[in-house]
Amino acid sequence: MLIIDCHGHYTTAPAALQTFRDAQLVHFKTPGSKPPSAPAISDDEIRESIDKNQLKLQRERGADLTIFSPRASAMAHHIGDEAISTAWGRVCNDLIKRVVDLYPENFVGVCQLPQAPGAGIAGSVAELERCIRDLGFIGCNLNPDPSGGHWSAPPLTDRYWYPFYEKMVELDVPAMVHVSSSCNPNFHATGAHYINADTTAFMQFIEGDLFKDFPTLRFIIPHGGGAVPYHWGRYRGLADMLKRPPLPQHVMKNVFFDTCVYHQPGIDLLAKVIDVDNILFGSEMVGAVRGIDPETGHYFDDTKRYVDALPISAADKHKIFELNARRVFPRLDAILKSRGL
Amino acid sequence: MLIIDCHGHYTTAPAALQTFRDAQLVHFKTPGSKPPSAPAISDDEIRESIDKNQLKLQRERGADLTIFSPRASAMAHHIGDEAISTAWGRVCNDLIKRVVDLYPENFVGVCQLPQAPGAGIAGSVAELERCIRDLGFIGCNLNPDPSGGHWSAPPLTDRYWYPFYEKMVELDVPAMVHVSSSCNPNFHATGAHYINADTTAFMQFIEGDLFKDFPTLRFIIPHGGGAVPYHWGRYRGLADMLKRPPLPQHVMKNVFFDTCVYHQPGIDLLAKVIDVDNILFGSEMVGAVRGIDPETGHYFDDTKRYVDALPISAADKHKIFELNARRVFPRLDAILKSRGL
């Protein structure tokens, strides 16, 4: 059995990446200035940033492969404009591609998108196509709130997003619904904005009929589905009140939750109320919560331990750790099959 | 043992209330028009609206007393302006007072506040004082987002709110953190906005130091604390990362969760991770989810059944059903004691 972590970010990228970003934002604010050129980062710098962090933790914790994307909080689609997001996205995605090329057995790429408040979706369609076809990526992170906490974009069920979904279907790739940092002081990024976005997206899917229009469209809602499994009765009841079909038919053929829930009782609940076919192993490491839980003596985000401890069959664990990811990411399955895995 | 439901709304008010509201909003949009006078509602109309609904359900489900407030989704602080919210709040609160006077053993009052986007907090201070001192209410519902889904107010830890907190402390009353309806199409009210607000408020309390300034200030975060118990490990870890004290000292002396979680596994999780002293029985009925759970044959919001089924001691259930509410609402305790209860 392979252990596939569906949710990892390059939070440890070499400092030159941030230097580029800083220069980019100075350029944005300086009329007539030239945009900075792509950061010069050596293979050794990449190796150092990965070996000591994600690769070390993969080995220590027993994961084989991480579905890897740029740092989510740094996407910051609310900063700059579409051109800035486009240049930033290319640089970040190209860097993920280099990580994957250096460690093809350990990482596979997922892209960020050049979203921006008020911008159209065509740029995201183009970058998705580039990352999937040219860079060999297997999915993307889609931000339902490019405004960074002001929620000015239309809901995910709106036709605004349809050209992007058409491209996702054509390329047969899923999206993780993932906001970025928050510029609204009400929302702490990882403590409120992320979780709220997960909950919000799920409720949008209940209200809408998106999966009638796109029966094969697939979303991963990270952080264990936000508040949804804890309030599973509320969501079943709301679907009923809104005269929607039961959730297994209406939403759960298309929506999957990861296991980024940082304590055993949460993972226990997730596995109890959500069908095992809808759960993908994920850790979000190195990410949101980096410390050691004094109650267990283990890292909060060592989520494999919680899944290992679930009172479910080995076959079900195999689904959570490997088979569901291969089903939700067919391009990952193809890559693994080409390696005889 | 008394069964005290800490979270009930007057969602079944006579139609004249909505007629008043409609007239109020026509007045708001019509320069030079006269505001409508308070709706004429007879005692019989109130009785009919209560007998068949909240009172019937109290009896059927075995609750004794409901801490009762105006319909939360109808507060709609984002509609009109502060003057509109003030008139609307008075009418709604006065109607709650009449319910309490008609059924003093079954209901005790909690008020809505005349909040409005961009308005100061002085009007809310005044209405709180009126409702507590003149109407005999025991608490209030405080809306952290009067904009209705745009989140334009400062966080709950901001000094903007301090005059209100000073009055809460002076009067020794708690607030339930409760948003109203959403005018942002991203957020379904009861399926996303409510839950997000709960999660958001808790994270604001972690980030801030509010309870250093107000050691006796008390908040109930409804809907089982939003996403918080499910992600309890994340919040413990974030407190640690942000160099905040451990949650029991930092937040949980002042923050309480209700049991408005509409399935057994959710309540099981709540009772497992949250100290029993921080849990108040609540049902939010007649409210967000009105149907029958096909998996159990019982109403989703019949939350007493879930608490009854918890594998905890009778003494702990006594805390959840009665003692914690009497501790968090000292004015309720005084009322009950005056009745020899």
Side-chain angles (χ1 to χ4, degrees), chain A residues 151 153 184 186 190-191 196 200 204 223-224 226 230-231 234-236 241 263 284 288 293, chain B residues 151 153 184 186 190-191 196 200 204 223-224 226 230-231 234-236 241 263 284 288 293:
Chain A
W151 290 92
N184 185 326
N186 281 286
T190 53
N196 292 350
T200 299
Q204 291 176 0
H223 322 108
Y230 177 48
H231 286 286
R234 174 175 283 255
Y235 291 100
R236 290 194 291 112
M241 270 179 80
H263 64 150
E284 201 185 357
D293 186 345
Chain B
W151 290 92
N184 185 326
N186 280 288
T190 53
N196 292 351
T200 299
Q204 290 176 1
H223 321 107
Y230 176 49
H231 286 286
R234 174 176 285 255
Y235 291 101
R236 289 194 289 111
M241 269 178 80
H263 64 150
E284 201 187 355
D293 186 345

mmCIF file of all heavy atoms in Angstrom, chain A residues 151 153 184 186 190-191 196 200 204 223-224 226 230-231 234-236 241 263 284 288 293, chain B residues 151 153 184 186 190-191 196 200 204 223-224 226 230-231 234-236 241 263 284 288 293:
data_model
loop_
_atom_site.group_PDB
_atom_site.id
_atom_site.type_symbol
_atom_site.label_atom_id
_atom_site.label_comp_id
_atom_site.label_asym_id
_atom_site.label_seq_id
_atom_site.Cartn_x
_atom_site.Cartn_y
_atom_site.Cartn_z
ATOM 1 N N TRP A 151 -14.996 38.078 0.335
ATOM 2 C CA TRP A 151 -15.990 37.216 -0.316
ATOM 3 C C TRP A 151 -16.790 37.976 -1.363
ATOM 4 O O TRP A 151 -18.020 37.982 -1.349
ATOM 5 C CB TRP A 151 -16.891 36.573 0.752
ATOM 6 C CG TRP A 151 -16.136 35.560 1.552
ATOM 7 C CD1 TRP A 151 -15.461 35.778 2.714
ATOM 8 C CD2 TRP A 151 -15.937 34.181 1.226
ATOM 9 N NE1 TRP A 151 -14.851 34.618 3.125
ATOM 10 C CE2 TRP A 151 -15.141 33.625 2.238
ATOM 11 C CE3 TRP A 151 -16.372 33.349 0.173
ATOM 12 C CZ2 TRP A 151 -14.731 32.276 2.235
ATOM 13 C CZ3 TRP A 151 -15.986 32.021 0.172
ATOM 14 C CH2 TRP A 151 -15.171 31.498 1.187
ATOM 15 N N ALA A 153 -16.358 37.405 -4.745
ATOM 16 C CA ALA A 153 -16.546 36.599 -5.953
ATOM 17 C C ALA A 153 -17.896 35.895 -5.887
ATOM 18 O O ALA A 153 -18.473 35.735 -4.811
ATOM 19 C CB ALA A 153 -15.417 35.578 -6.077
ATOM 20 N N ASN A 184 -8.784 40.514 5.855
ATOM 21 C CA ASN A 184 -9.878 40.974 6.712
ATOM 22 C C ASN A 184 -9.506 40.636 8.154
ATOM 23 O O ASN A 184 -9.338 39.459 8.489
ATOM 24 C CB ASN A 184 -11.179 40.270 6.311
ATOM 25 C CG ASN A 184 -12.375 40.786 7.085
ATOM 26 O OD1 ASN A 184 -12.271 41.151 8.254
ATOM 27 N ND2 ASN A 184 -13.525 40.817 6.430
ATOM 28 N N ASN A 186 -11.026 40.274 10.686
ATOM 29 C CA ASN A 186 -11.900 39.341 11.393
ATOM 30 C C ASN A 186 -11.423 37.898 11.289
ATOM 31 O O ASN A 186 -11.749 37.086 12.154
ATOM 32 C CB ASN A 186 -13.326 39.423 10.844
ATOM 33 C CG ASN A 186 -14.075 40.616 11.380
ATOM 34 O OD1 ASN A 186 -14.475 40.614 12.534
ATOM 35 N ND2 ASN A 186 -14.233 41.654 10.556
ATOM 36 N N THR A 190 -5.386 30.588 9.009
ATOM 37 C CA THR A 190 -5.523 29.135 9.184
ATOM 38 C C THR A 190 -6.525 28.765 10.266
ATOM 39 O O THR A 190 -7.009 27.641 10.301
ATOM 40 C CB THR A 190 -4.160 28.507 9.527
ATOM 41 O OG1 THR A 190 -3.612 29.208 10.645
ATOM 42 C CG2 THR A 190 -3.206 28.619 8.355
ATOM 43 N N GLY A 191 -6.861 29.718 11.145
ATOM 44 C CA GLY A 191 -7.771 29.406 12.242
ATOM 45 C C GLY A 191 -9.230 29.722 11.958
ATOM 46 O O GLY A 191 -10.111 29.211 12.650
ATOM 47 N N ASN A 196 -13.681 28.327 7.444
ATOM 48 C CA ASN A 196 -14.927 28.921 6.965
ATOM 49 C C ASN A 196 -15.129 28.660 5.472
ATOM 50 O O ASN A 196 -16.255 28.406 5.023
ATOM 51 C CB ASN A 196 -14.923 30.435 7.184
ATOM 52 C CG ASN A 196 -14.965 30.832 8.645
ATOM 53 O OD1 ASN A 196 -15.181 30.010 9.515
ATOM 54 N ND2 ASN A 196 -14.735 32.104 8.910
ATOM 55 N N THR A 200 -18.260 26.909 3.811
ATOM 56 C CA THR A 200 -19.012 27.710 2.843
ATOM 57 C C THR A 200 -19.153 26.990 1.509
ATOM 58 O O THR A 200 -20.239 26.939 0.919
ATOM 59 C CB THR A 200 -18.292 29.061 2.645
ATOM 60 O OG1 THR A 200 -18.265 29.743 3.906
ATOM 61 C CG2 THR A 200 -18.986 29.928 1.612
ATOM 62 N N GLN A 204 -22.539 25.780 -0.447
ATOM 63 C CA GLN A 204 -22.849 26.232 -1.812
ATOM 64 C C GLN A 204 -23.198 25.036 -2.702
ATOM 65 O O GLN A 204 -24.131 25.094 -3.515
ATOM 66 C CB GLN A 204 -21.661 27.001 -2.399
ATOM 67 C CG GLN A 204 -21.426 28.350 -1.730
ATOM 68 C CD GLN A 204 -20.197 29.078 -2.253
ATOM 69 O OE1 GLN A 204 -19.486 28.585 -3.124
ATOM 70 N NE2 GLN A 204 -19.936 30.256 -1.709
ATOM 71 N N HIS A 223 -8.957 20.373 5.164
ATOM 72 C CA HIS A 223 -9.171 20.560 6.601
ATOM 73 C C HIS A 223 -10.401 19.782 7.046
ATOM 74 O O HIS A 223 -11.290 20.297 7.733
ATOM 75 C CB HIS A 223 -9.288 22.052 6.938
ATOM 76 C CG HIS A 223 -8.338 22.894 6.123
ATOM 77 N ND1 HIS A 223 -8.752 23.711 5.115
ATOM 78 C CD2 HIS A 223 -6.983 22.981 6.140
ATOM 79 C CE1 HIS A 223 -7.703 24.297 4.536
ATOM 80 N NE2 HIS A 223 -6.610 23.867 5.158
ATOM 81 N N GLY A 224 -10.423 18.537 6.601
ATOM 82 C CA GLY A 224 -11.479 17.631 7.044
ATOM 83 C C GLY A 224 -12.872 18.082 6.683
ATOM 84 O O GLY A 224 -13.841 17.644 7.310
ATOM 85 N N GLY A 226 -13.885 21.328 6.798
ATOM 86 C CA GLY A 226 -14.296 22.481 7.621
ATOM 87 C C GLY A 226 -15.138 22.016 8.793
ATOM 88 O O GLY A 226 -14.721 21.150 9.560
ATOM 89 N N TYR A 230 -18.719 17.573 11.559
ATOM 90 C CA TYR A 230 -19.219 17.826 12.924
ATOM 91 C C TYR A 230 -20.706 18.183 12.896
ATOM 92 O O TYR A 230 -21.455 17.853 13.815
ATOM 93 C CB TYR A 230 -18.391 18.954 13.538
ATOM 94 C CG TYR A 230 -18.789 19.418 14.921
ATOM 95 C CD1 TYR A 230 -19.016 18.520 15.958
ATOM 96 C CD2 TYR A 230 -18.897 20.787 15.200
ATOM 97 C CE1 TYR A 230 -19.366 18.975 17.231
ATOM 98 C CE2 TYR A 230 -19.232 21.245 16.461
ATOM 99 C CZ TYR A 230 -19.475 20.331 17.477
ATOM 100 O OH TYR A 230 -19.812 20.781 18.732
ATOM 101 N N HIS A 231 -21.107 18.864 11.835
ATOM 102 C CA HIS A 231 -22.508 19.291 11.706
ATOM 103 C C HIS A 231 -23.237 18.470 10.637
ATOM 104 O O HIS A 231 -24.126 18.992 9.959
ATOM 105 C CB HIS A 231 -22.570 20.784 11.385
ATOM 106 C CG HIS A 231 -22.250 21.668 12.555
ATOM 107 N ND1 HIS A 231 -23.134 21.860 13.603
ATOM 108 C CD2 HIS A 231 -21.135 22.382 12.872
ATOM 109 C CE1 HIS A 231 -22.579 22.682 14.493
ATOM 110 N NE2 HIS A 231 -21.376 23.002 14.077
ATOM 111 N N ARG A 234 -26.944 18.655 10.601
ATOM 112 C CA ARG A 234 -27.431 19.941 10.100
ATOM 113 C C ARG A 234 -27.442 19.946 8.573
ATOM 114 O O ARG A 234 -28.415 20.379 7.948
ATOM 115 C CB ARG A 234 -26.534 21.072 10.627
ATOM 116 C CG ARG A 234 -26.839 22.471 10.068
ATOM 117 C CD ARG A 234 -25.961 23.539 10.745
ATOM 118 N NE ARG A 234 -26.447 23.853 12.067
ATOM 119 C CZ ARG A 234 -27.116 24.971 12.410
ATOM 120 N NH1 ARG A 234 -27.331 25.919 11.517
ATOM 121 N NH2 ARG A 234 -27.537 25.163 13.624
ATOM 122 N N TYR A 235 -26.381 19.439 7.958
ATOM 123 C CA TYR A 235 -26.312 19.484 6.488
ATOM 124 C C TYR A 235 -27.287 18.502 5.851
ATOM 125 O O TYR A 235 -27.902 18.803 4.830
ATOM 126 C CB TYR A 235 -24.866 19.309 6.013
ATOM 127 C CG TYR A 235 -24.078 20.532 6.389
ATOM 128 C CD1 TYR A 235 -23.244 20.547 7.507
ATOM 129 C CD2 TYR A 235 -24.276 21.728 5.709
ATOM 130 C CE1 TYR A 235 -22.601 21.705 7.910
ATOM 131 C CE2 TYR A 235 -23.637 22.898 6.099
ATOM 132 C CZ TYR A 235 -22.794 22.872 7.201
ATOM 133 O OH TYR A 235 -22.179 24.032 7.606
ATOM 134 N N ARG A 236 -27.475 17.353 6.465
ATOM 135 C CA ARG A 236 -28.490 16.432 5.954
ATOM 136 C C ARG A 236 -29.865 17.068 6.086
ATOM 137 O O ARG A 236 -30.697 16.981 5.175
ATOM 138 C CB ARG A 236 -28.411 15.105 6.704
ATOM 139 C CG ARG A 236 -27.143 14.309 6.363
ATOM 140 C CD ARG A 236 -27.216 12.858 6.842
ATOM 141 N NE ARG A 236 -27.175 12.742 8.283
ATOM 142 C CZ ARG A 236 -28.171 12.351 9.044
ATOM 143 N NH1 ARG A 236 -29.340 12.011 8.516
ATOM 144 N NH2 ARG A 236 -28.024 12.272 10.354
ATOM 145 N N MET A 241 -34.569 20.291 3.961
ATOM 146 C CA MET A 241 -35.394 21.514 4.008
ATOM 147 C C MET A 241 -35.378 22.263 2.685
ATOM 148 O O MET A 241 -36.362 22.881 2.295
ATOM 149 C CB MET A 241 -34.860 22.459 5.093
ATOM 150 C CG MET A 241 -35.475 22.246 6.453
ATOM 151 S SD MET A 241 -34.751 23.388 7.668
ATOM 152 C CE MET A 241 -35.652 24.911 7.341
ATOM 153 N N HIS A 263 -6.477 16.074 15.679
ATOM 154 C CA HIS A 263 -6.614 15.308 16.929
ATOM 155 C C HIS A 263 -7.447 14.056 16.640
ATOM 156 O O HIS A 263 -8.233 14.029 15.689
ATOM 157 C CB HIS A 263 -7.231 16.151 18.063
ATOM 158 C CG HIS A 263 -8.639 16.615 17.805
ATOM 159 N ND1 HIS A 263 -9.546 16.824 18.813
ATOM 160 C CD2 HIS A 263 -9.306 16.892 16.647
ATOM 161 C CE1 HIS A 263 -10.696 17.225 18.301
ATOM 162 N NE2 HIS A 263 -10.580 17.272 16.997
ATOM 163 N N GLU A 284 -1.387 18.484 5.340
ATOM 164 C CA GLU A 284 -1.153 19.935 5.275
ATOM 165 C C GLU A 284 0.216 20.295 5.844
ATOM 166 O O GLU A 284 0.406 21.402 6.320
ATOM 167 C CB GLU A 284 -2.272 20.648 6.056
ATOM 168 C CG GLU A 284 -2.512 22.109 5.733
ATOM 169 C CD GLU A 284 -3.567 22.718 6.685
ATOM 170 O OE1 GLU A 284 -4.100 21.974 7.511
ATOM 171 O OE2 GLU A 284 -3.843 23.913 6.594
ATOM 172 N N ALA A 288 0.038 24.513 8.696
ATOM 173 C CA ALA A 288 -0.728 25.419 9.538
ATOM 174 C C ALA A 288 -0.327 25.336 11.000
ATOM 175 O O ALA A 288 -0.226 26.332 11.692
ATOM 176 C CB ALA A 288 -2.206 25.104 9.390
ATOM 177 N N ASP A 293 1.714 18.157 20.130
ATOM 178 C CA ASP A 293 0.564 18.132 21.032
ATOM 179 C C ASP A 293 1.018 17.620 22.396
ATOM 180 O O ASP A 293 1.440 16.460 22.512
ATOM 181 C CB ASP A 293 -0.514 17.214 20.449
ATOM 182 C CG ASP A 293 -1.805 17.249 21.259
ATOM 183 O OD1 ASP A 293 -1.783 17.742 22.415
ATOM 184 O OD2 ASP A 293 -2.826 16.776 20.743
ATOM 185 N N TRP B 151 -18.532 41.294 6.733
ATOM 186 C CA TRP B 151 -17.545 41.328 7.805
ATOM 187 C C TRP B 151 -16.746 42.625 7.824
ATOM 188 O O TRP B 151 -15.520 42.619 7.813
ATOM 189 C CB TRP B 151 -16.616 40.095 7.697
ATOM 190 C CG TRP B 151 -17.348 38.842 8.048
ATOM 191 C CD1 TRP B 151 -18.013 38.017 7.177
ATOM 192 C CD2 TRP B 151 -17.530 38.268 9.352
ATOM 193 N NE1 TRP B 151 -18.610 36.976 7.870
ATOM 194 C CE2 TRP B 151 -18.325 37.104 9.201
ATOM 195 C CE3 TRP B 151 -17.107 38.648 10.633
ATOM 196 C CZ2 TRP B 151 -18.708 36.319 10.283
ATOM 197 C CZ3 TRP B 151 -17.472 37.846 11.709
ATOM 198 C CH2 TRP B 151 -18.258 36.698 11.521
ATOM 199 N N ALA B 153 -17.188 44.979 10.316
ATOM 200 C CA ALA B 153 -16.981 45.472 11.678
ATOM 201 C C ALA B 153 -15.620 45.015 12.190
ATOM 202 O O ALA B 153 -15.043 44.067 11.672
ATOM 203 C CB ALA B 153 -18.093 44.954 12.596
ATOM 204 N N ASN B 184 -24.744 38.253 1.535
ATOM 205 C CA ASN B 184 -23.651 37.847 0.654
ATOM 206 C C ASN B 184 -24.017 36.486 0.069
ATOM 207 O O ASN B 184 -24.184 35.516 0.813
ATOM 208 C CB ASN B 184 -22.351 37.758 1.462
ATOM 209 C CG ASN B 184 -21.151 37.465 0.584
ATOM 210 O OD1 ASN B 184 -21.249 36.746 -0.417
ATOM 211 N ND2 ASN B 184 -20.008 38.021 0.934
ATOM 212 N N ASN B 186 -22.488 34.249 -1.147
ATOM 213 C CA ASN B 186 -21.597 33.134 -0.825
ATOM 214 C C ASN B 186 -22.054 32.358 0.406
ATOM 215 O O ASN B 186 -21.718 31.184 0.549
ATOM 216 C CB ASN B 186 -20.170 33.650 -0.565
ATOM 217 C CG ASN B 186 -19.438 33.912 -1.849
ATOM 218 O OD1 ASN B 186 -19.046 32.987 -2.552
ATOM 219 N ND2 ASN B 186 -19.261 35.182 -2.187
ATOM 220 N N THR B 190 -28.028 29.780 7.684
ATOM 221 C CA THR B 190 -27.886 28.771 8.734
ATOM 222 C C THR B 190 -26.867 27.689 8.380
ATOM 223 O O THR B 190 -26.386 26.989 9.268
ATOM 224 C CB THR B 190 -29.244 28.110 9.032
ATOM 225 O OG1 THR B 190 -29.803 27.635 7.799
ATOM 226 C CG2 THR B 190 -30.201 29.097 9.658
ATOM 227 N N GLY B 191 -26.540 27.569 7.081
ATOM 228 C CA GLY B 191 -25.613 26.511 6.670
ATOM 229 C C GLY B 191 -24.165 26.940 6.581
ATOM 230 O O GLY B 191 -23.275 26.083 6.571
ATOM 231 N N ASN B 196 -19.733 29.775 10.366
ATOM 232 C CA ASN B 196 -18.485 30.525 10.167
ATOM 233 C C ASN B 196 -18.288 31.570 11.266
ATOM 234 O O ASN B 196 -17.160 31.787 11.738
ATOM 235 C CB ASN B 196 -18.507 31.254 8.823
ATOM 236 C CG ASN B 196 -18.460 30.313 7.640
ATOM 237 O OD1 ASN B 196 -18.237 29.108 7.788
ATOM 238 N ND2 ASN B 196 -18.687 30.848 6.455
ATOM 239 N N THR B 200 -15.141 31.892 13.662
ATOM 240 C CA THR B 200 -14.398 33.154 13.584
ATOM 241 C C THR B 200 -14.261 33.803 14.962
ATOM 242 O O THR B 200 -13.167 34.248 15.345
ATOM 243 C CB THR B 200 -15.141 34.111 12.628
ATOM 244 O OG1 THR B 200 -15.186 33.504 11.333
ATOM 245 C CG2 THR B 200 -14.452 35.468 12.546
ATOM 246 N N GLN B 204 -10.867 34.674 17.074
ATOM 247 C CA GLN B 204 -10.568 36.043 17.527
ATOM 248 C C GLN B 204 -10.225 36.048 19.013
ATOM 249 O O GLN B 204 -9.291 36.739 19.442
ATOM 250 C CB GLN B 204 -11.770 36.961 17.260
ATOM 251 C CG GLN B 204 -12.000 37.235 15.776
ATOM 252 C CD GLN B 204 -13.242 38.063 15.517
ATOM 253 O OE1 GLN B 204 -13.945 38.467 16.438
ATOM 254 N NE2 GLN B 204 -13.527 38.310 14.250
ATOM 255 N N HIS B 223 -24.392 26.829 18.152
ATOM 256 C CA HIS B 223 -24.178 25.795 17.137
ATOM 257 C C HIS B 223 -22.927 24.980 17.493
ATOM 258 O O HIS B 223 -22.049 24.753 16.666
ATOM 259 C CB HIS B 223 -24.057 26.417 15.745
ATOM 260 C CG HIS B 223 -25.019 27.558 15.550
ATOM 261 N ND1 HIS B 223 -24.628 28.866 15.518
ATOM 262 C CD2 HIS B 223 -26.373 27.573 15.478
ATOM 263 C CE1 HIS B 223 -25.707 29.647 15.406
ATOM 264 N NE2 HIS B 223 -26.785 28.883 15.382
ATOM 265 N N GLY B 224 -22.902 24.584 18.733
ATOM 266 C CA GLY B 224 -21.833 23.700 19.189
ATOM 267 C C GLY B 224 -20.439 24.269 19.041
ATOM 268 O O GLY B 224 -19.466 23.520 19.017
ATOM 269 N N GLY B 226 -19.465 26.124 16.370
ATOM 270 C CA GLY B 226 -19.050 26.148 14.952
ATOM 271 C C GLY B 226 -18.206 24.936 14.632
ATOM 272 O O GLY B 226 -18.596 23.803 14.901
ATOM 273 N N TYR B 230 -14.585 20.105 16.550
ATOM 274 C CA TYR B 230 -14.083 19.157 15.531
ATOM 275 C C TYR B 230 -12.603 19.407 15.247
ATOM 276 O O TYR B 230 -11.851 18.473 14.965
ATOM 277 C CB TYR B 230 -14.932 19.318 14.267
ATOM 278 C CG TYR B 230 -14.523 18.501 13.072
ATOM 279 C CD1 TYR B 230 -14.264 17.137 13.162
ATOM 280 C CD2 TYR B 230 -14.429 19.096 11.806
ATOM 281 C CE1 TYR B 230 -13.913 16.392 12.042
ATOM 282 C CE2 TYR B 230 -14.098 18.358 10.691
ATOM 283 C CZ TYR B 230 -13.833 17.006 10.805
ATOM 284 O OH TYR B 230 -13.492 16.279 9.688
ATOM 285 N N HIS B 231 -12.200 20.677 15.325
ATOM 286 C CA HIS B 231 -10.810 21.041 15.054
ATOM 287 C C HIS B 231 -10.081 21.430 16.348
ATOM 288 O O HIS B 231 -9.190 22.272 16.323
ATOM 289 C CB HIS B 231 -10.762 22.196 14.050
ATOM 290 C CG HIS B 231 -11.080 21.776 12.644
ATOM 291 N ND1 HIS B 231 -10.205 21.058 11.870
ATOM 292 C CD2 HIS B 231 -12.190 21.935 11.893
ATOM 293 C CE1 HIS B 231 -10.750 20.825 10.683
ATOM 294 N NE2 HIS B 231 -11.959 21.333 10.666
ATOM 295 N N ARG B 234 -6.381 21.591 16.197
ATOM 296 C CA ARG B 234 -5.903 22.765 15.465
ATOM 297 C C ARG B 234 -5.893 23.998 16.369
ATOM 298 O O ARG B 234 -4.924 24.761 16.394
ATOM 299 C CB ARG B 234 -6.799 23.009 14.244
ATOM 300 C CG ARG B 234 -6.516 24.293 13.464
ATOM 301 C CD ARG B 234 -7.393 24.398 12.209
ATOM 302 N NE ARG B 234 -6.931 23.509 11.168
ATOM 303 C CZ ARG B 234 -6.259 23.898 10.072
ATOM 304 N NH1 ARG B 234 -6.002 25.169 9.847
ATOM 305 N NH2 ARG B 234 -5.848 23.014 9.197
ATOM 306 N N TYR B 235 -6.941 24.180 17.147
ATOM 307 C CA TYR B 235 -7.015 25.392 17.983
ATOM 308 C C TYR B 235 -6.040 25.316 19.147
ATOM 309 O O TYR B 235 -5.413 26.325 19.504
ATOM 310 C CB TYR B 235 -8.463 25.657 18.425
ATOM 311 C CG TYR B 235 -9.259 26.077 17.211
ATOM 312 C CD1 TYR B 235 -10.098 25.179 16.554
ATOM 313 C CD2 TYR B 235 -9.069 27.332 16.656
ATOM 314 C CE1 TYR B 235 -10.757 25.547 15.386
ATOM 315 C CE2 TYR B 235 -9.722 27.705 15.487
ATOM 316 C CZ TYR B 235 -10.557 26.803 14.858
ATOM 317 O OH TYR B 235 -11.184 27.162 13.693
ATOM 318 N N ARG B 236 -5.862 24.149 19.720
ATOM 319 C CA ARG B 236 -4.843 24.018 20.752
ATOM 320 C C ARG B 236 -3.471 24.305 20.160
ATOM 321 O O ARG B 236 -2.631 24.997 20.762
ATOM 322 C CB ARG B 236 -4.901 22.625 21.371
ATOM 323 C CG ARG B 236 -6.148 22.415 22.252
ATOM 324 C CD ARG B 236 -6.030 21.165 23.131
ATOM 325 N NE ARG B 236 -6.121 19.939 22.369
ATOM 326 C CZ ARG B 236 -5.124 19.091 22.178
ATOM 327 N NH1 ARG B 236 -3.936 19.333 22.718
ATOM 328 N NH2 ARG B 236 -5.301 18.008 21.472
ATOM 329 N N MET B 241 1.230 27.973 18.817
ATOM 330 C CA MET B 241 2.036 28.662 17.797
ATOM 331 C C MET B 241 2.014 30.172 17.980
ATOM 332 O O MET B 241 2.985 30.866 17.703
ATOM 333 C CB MET B 241 1.499 28.351 16.400
ATOM 334 C CG MET B 241 2.127 27.149 15.759
ATOM 335 S SD MET B 241 1.376 26.851 14.126
ATOM 336 C CE MET B 241 2.247 28.039 13.101
ATOM 337 N N HIS B 263 -26.798 15.793 15.347
ATOM 338 C CA HIS B 263 -26.638 14.334 15.217
ATOM 339 C C HIS B 263 -25.791 13.837 16.394
ATOM 340 O O HIS B 263 -25.006 14.598 16.968
ATOM 341 C CB HIS B 263 -26.031 13.934 13.868
ATOM 342 C CG HIS B 263 -24.621 14.438 13.636
ATOM 343 N ND1 HIS B 263 -23.699 13.776 12.865
ATOM 344 C CD2 HIS B 263 -23.978 15.546 14.103
ATOM 345 C CE1 HIS B 263 -22.560 14.447 12.843
ATOM 346 N NE2 HIS B 263 -22.697 15.513 13.578
ATOM 347 N N GLU B 284 -31.948 25.488 19.583
ATOM 348 C CA GLU B 284 -32.179 26.410 18.461
ATOM 349 C C GLU B 284 -33.550 26.158 17.832
ATOM 350 O O GLU B 284 -33.762 26.422 16.664
ATOM 351 C CB GLU B 284 -31.064 26.205 17.413
ATOM 352 C CG GLU B 284 -30.834 27.346 16.452
ATOM 353 C CD GLU B 284 -29.819 26.938 15.375
ATOM 354 O OE1 GLU B 284 -29.253 25.840 15.452
ATOM 355 O OE2 GLU B 284 -29.592 27.733 14.462
ATOM 356 N N ALA B 288 -33.419 26.377 12.725
ATOM 357 C CA ALA B 288 -32.648 26.236 11.501
ATOM 358 C C ALA B 288 -33.045 24.998 10.711
ATOM 359 O O ALA B 288 -33.155 25.029 9.493
ATOM 360 C CB ALA B 288 -31.172 26.185 11.846
ATOM 361 N N ASP B 293 -34.983 13.381 11.069
ATOM 362 C CA ASP B 293 -33.833 12.655 10.552
ATOM 363 C C ASP B 293 -34.278 11.249 10.149
ATOM 364 O O ASP B 293 -34.681 10.452 11.001
ATOM 365 C CB ASP B 293 -32.748 12.573 11.639
ATOM 366 C CG ASP B 293 -31.463 11.958 11.112
ATOM 367 O OD1 ASP B 293 -31.475 11.335 10.031
ATOM 368 O OD2 ASP B 293 -30.428 12.104 11.792
#
